[in-house]
Amino acid sequence: MGAHQSIHAGKAKLDVGVNLIQKLYSSSHVLSPLRIFSGPFSLANGSLCLKLPTLFGNGDLLDVSWHKGLHDSNLLINHRTPRPPCLGQRSLNIVHSLKPEIGIHGIPMNNFCHSASGDVRISKLSIGLDMNEPSSCNWKTTTSVHFKHIHFINDCGRSVSRDLDGFPLTLSGNSYDNMVMISQESRFEEANDHKFSHYSFRVEQGIPIHPNLAIFNRFKFSASKGVKIGSAFFSTLFNGGSLVGATAPYEAFAIGGPNSVRGYGEGAVGSGYSCVVSKNEFSFPLDKQLTGVIFLDFGSDLRSSNRVLGNPGLRKGKPGSGIGIGYGIRFKTELVQITADCAINAFKQRTLYFGINNLLL
């Protein structure tokens, strides 16, 4: 059950969405809600988005968005000041997120189709500046400088510095890490009614704010293409990355989940300092509003799990590579798109995924 409301006040706009859902638990994926999520609102799943143009009278724009899920929350504050296109754009961002850390420290269950809580939650605060360079030939480049504060707590809300097996969660050995992250990302996008191409390359350098901690570097890439074949459409996505240097386990790549290799729980395939993931999907119309889909996903940590501090992948028994195949449907209306997928992993375990996307937001 849910509701959505838009409120206009002059040039400002406020979007509010609230969903009340029944929590369905299985023995393989049980998360205890934090105290801040307890009470009558523990079943609420909602969002709030506020847009304030010309806040300081110079054509600037302030965006504030907040999302609360059953076990996670995310706050984003973005302020942009208009600049001539030849100079690029700059924006100030403040982001805070809180969620269970199951991608690295979760426990795979039911033939790796679910990931149970390891009694670890991660809180991330990021404050920084993004600078977008002028676009040229479909390429866009963004350079960012962010201060990041990462803090770990358990399911009861208490600060923790080690996981259930006694291994450190941070590089400093405390319950938190602080660092400065410098990154640059280049993106290429090209699309028409018959095909699309997306490419992105991202380089990051993390500088921990601690005299005894080392600098680390990370490289990420993503390439996706799609082509229309008659009335059907085929798309493929290939992404991956690698990390060099000493850093904490939370910086590792987590492989598995609905946005990675379907058929596996989040991070249940593996967690390492290198990874590759391939997602392939063939969709075909069933009628004007209904689309059928078949897909094939693959992911691997490239045998890099032993490089992660404490080797959580080996301790949790993750296979390191996995394949998922399946099928699904997409039902689209003027207001929402409903998705349903059934995925089967390499251990012949079935997993169902359901989603509702609000097309108005």
Side-chain angles (χ1 to χ4, degrees):
M1 181 175 63
H4 175 265
Q5 180 69 41
S6 294
I7 303 172
H8 295 266
K11 296 182 179 180
K13 180 182 178 182
L14 175 66
D15 289 311
V16 181
V18 177
N19 294 314
L20 296 178
I21 67 175
Q22 177 65 44
K23 289 185 288 187
L24 299 177
Y25 288 142
S26 68
S27 59
S28 62
H29 186 67
V30 180
L31 295 171
S32 302
L34 279 173
R35 293 175 182 175
I36 58 174
F37 291 158
S38 61
F41 296 103
S42 62
L43 296 180
N45 181 355
S47 62
L48 181 148
C49 181
L50 175 64
K51 296 181 180 293
L52 293 174
T54 63
L55 181 63
F56 299 107
N58 59 352
D60 61 324
L61 176 64
L62 177 67
D63 283 342
V64 180
S65 63
W66 175 75
H67 169 80
K68 176 192 174 300
L70 289 179
H71 309 289
D72 66 292
S73 67
N74 189 77
L75 173 68
L76 169 63
I77 302 174
N78 175 274
H79 181 263
R80 298 189 299 275
T81 302
R83 290 162 54 91
C86 60
L87 298 179
Q89 301 297 316
R90 295 180 180 177
S91 61
L92 175 66
N93 296 291
I94 302 175
V95 182
H96 179 264
S97 64
L98 175 64
K99 65 176 184 178
E101 207 332 272
I102 59 176
I104 305 298
H105 300 284
I107 304 171
M109 305 288 288
N110 286 0
N111 286 330
F112 301 94
C113 73
H114 294 290
S115 294
S117 172
D119 195 27
V120 175
R121 295 174 184 261
I122 184 170
S123 171
K124 294 183 178 181
L125 173 65
S126 174
I127 303 174
L129 183 67
D130 294 337
M131 295 160 284
N132 298 313
E133 298 180 9
S135 302
S136 61
C137 300
N138 298 327
W139 282 97
K140 297 180 180 179
T141 300
T142 302
T143 303
S144 304
V145 180
H146 288 257
F147 165 79
K148 292 193 174 186
H149 174 79
I150 295 92
H151 181 214
F152 285 92
I153 58 179
N154 60 18
D155 288 345
C156 295
R158 299 187 181 92
S159 297
V160 292
S161 60
R162 296 182 177 273
D163 62 17
L164 292 178
D165 297 324
F167 288 86
L169 297 169
T170 63
L171 194 60
S172 65
N174 301 318
S175 62
Y176 63 89
D177 276 341
N178 294 320
M179 73 177 69
V180 174
M181 182 74 75
I182 303 173
S183 64
Q184 186 172 69
E185 182 178 26
S186 297
R187 301 180 63 90
F188 173 87
E189 296 183 0
E190 185 179 46
N192 55 41
D193 294 337
H194 302 282
K195 62 181 180 179
F196 72 83
S197 298
H198 295 167
Y199 307 101
S200 69
F201 305 90
R202 183 180 179 90
V203 178
E204 302 174 341
Q205 184 174 67
I207 306 174
I209 304 178
H210 193 285
N212 297 322
L213 301 184
I215 295 174
F216 69 90
N217 296 277
R218 177 166 46 205
F219 171 72
K220 297 179 181 178
F221 69 90
S222 177
S224 63
K225 291 184 69 69
V227 59
K228 191 172 183 180
I229 306 173
S231 60
F233 198 86
F234 174 77
S235 63
T236 182
L237 168 68
F238 185 76
N239 57 41
S242 185
L243 188 150
V244 178
T247 186
Y250 58 79
E251 295 289 356
F253 297 98
I255 309 160
N259 297 318
S260 179
V261 182
R262 285 165 284 190
Y264 292 82
E266 184 178 349
V269 172
S271 50
Y273 280 171
S274 297
C275 80
V276 291
V277 173
S278 174
K279 298 172 68 68
N280 304 277
E281 195 166 281
F282 182 78
S283 60
F284 46 92
L286 299 176
D287 61 29
K288 292 183 178 180
Q289 293 181 305
L290 191 63
T291 301
V293 174
I294 55 176
F295 57 83
L296 171 65
D297 300 341
F298 171 80
S300 170
D301 64 11
L302 300 177
R303 299 184 178 181
S304 63
S305 63
N306 61 326
R307 295 165 48 200
V308 182
L309 182 65
N311 201 346
L314 176 64
R315 288 188 285 116
K316 308 300 182 183
K318 299 179 181 181
S321 63
I323 187 171
I325 60 174
Y327 53 89
I329 58 171
R330 312 284 185 263
F331 181 75
K332 187 176 182 179
T333 69
E334 294 182 357
L335 301 179
V336 298
Q337 177 176 271
I338 302 173
T339 65
D341 289 334
C342 176
I344 305 172
N345 65 20
F347 301 90
K348 300 181 180 181
Q349 184 70 41
R350 295 177 182 268
T351 305
L352 299 178
Y353 300 98
F354 297 94
I356 301 178
N357 300 320
N358 192 331
L359 301 180
L360 297 179
L361 295 178

